[in-house]
Amino acid sequence: VGRWERGQAARSGYRNCRVREGRYSLVNVKNTPDGWELYDLAADPGETKDLAREQPDTVQRLAATYDRWWASVQDSLVNEDRDGPATVDLA
């Protein structure tokens, strides 16, 4: 997610995020550090079978990759406390 409430960037790190690596898709569905579901897109393109419990090492590895990335972008959130452009109601 690229938008969150003002000042909530650090708390929104897991909100609607996904990590994709080859055949795997790791999706956070709870906005928590342990809210991950894992899908094998080659075998299950509809993402119907959560493999997180069957493949905890894959979940841990991909989640750690995401955590490192999220930590690395925090300093780049320079507009976190700025107002966006004014909006006009044309109705």
Side-chain angles (χ1 to χ4, degrees):
V1 170
R3 300 245 181 230
W4 41 77
E5 298 298 320
R6 183 184 299 255
Q8 299 299 310
R11 293 184 190 148
S12 300
Y14 296 103
R15 193 169 124 203
N16 297 328
C17 66
R18 175 182 303 261
V19 177
R20 175 80 190 272
E21 180 191 67
R23 68 186 304 148
Y24 293 111
S25 178
L26 185 70
V27 183
N28 196 295
V29 297
K30 296 180 182 174
N31 193 25
T32 62
D34 60 349
W36 297 106
E37 292 181 357
L38 179 69
Y39 298 98
D40 180 342
L41 298 178
D44 177 22
E47 297 183 7
T48 61
K49 182 173 174 28
D50 178 11
L51 302 173
R53 287 188 179 174
E54 296 172 29
Q55 297 188 35
D57 293 342
T58 302
V59 171
Q60 183 179 19
R61 180 174 52 79
L62 294 177
T65 299
Y66 176 80
D67 289 341
R68 284 190 301 276
W69 172 81
W70 181 249
S72 77
V73 300
Q74 293 304 296
D75 289 341
S76 299
L77 301 177
V78 296
N79 293 324
E80 175 66 9
D81 294 321
R82 303 229 174 163
D83 290 325
T87 58
V88 177
D89 185 4
L90 299 176

